[in-house]
Amino acid sequence: GFYIWIWAAIIQFFKKWRTFSQMLIRLMVARIVWGVILFGLALLVVEDSDNLKLIFISSMVPVISAAIWIPYLKRSRRVEATFTN
């Protein structure tokens, strides 16, 4: 499902569709939700604290990415001027 979503975002990016920024924001939020779900499952299965630390760190990557990109996509005049179709 995520691969189709990513390809749809790529198409919107290159065609400079106005809906690209909203599509990318939704994709980032979905990645965060998926990461939380997977981390919750890992808490149930993984017993080693070192492995849990690695899983937690890897689940934080989408959060950090979204914290940078979502405000940019929402506030940037450049994004607004580029995606006009």
Side-chain angles (χ1 to χ4, degrees):
F2 276 114
Y3 291 115
I4 293 170
W5 206 344
I6 291 169
W7 277 106
I10 290 171
I11 290 168
Q12 287 187 358
F13 174 79
F14 284 110
K15 291 191 174 192
K16 297 183 181 179
W17 287 358
R18 185 176 307 210
T19 56
F20 166 73
S21 60
Q22 289 301 317
M23 168 78 97
L24 191 59
I25 289 170
R26 289 184 186 120
L27 178 62
M28 288 183 202
V29 170
R31 285 183 62 208
I32 292 170
V33 170
W34 185 244
V36 168
I37 291 170
L38 289 180
F39 184 70
L41 291 173
L43 286 174
L44 296 173
V45 177
V46 178
E47 296 177 1
D48 184 22
S49 64
D50 289 336
N51 286 337
L52 277 176
K53 287 178 189 175
L54 291 174
I55 293 169
F56 177 76
I57 290 169
S58 67
S59 67
M60 290 305 295
V61 171
V63 173
I64 295 167
S65 175
I68 294 168
W69 285 105
I70 289 175
Y72 176 75
L73 290 168
K74 285 189 167 194
R75 294 190 184 115
S76 172
R77 291 184 184 172
R78 183 177 293 170
V79 170
E80 193 175 315
T82 301
F83 299 101
T84 58
N85 293 339

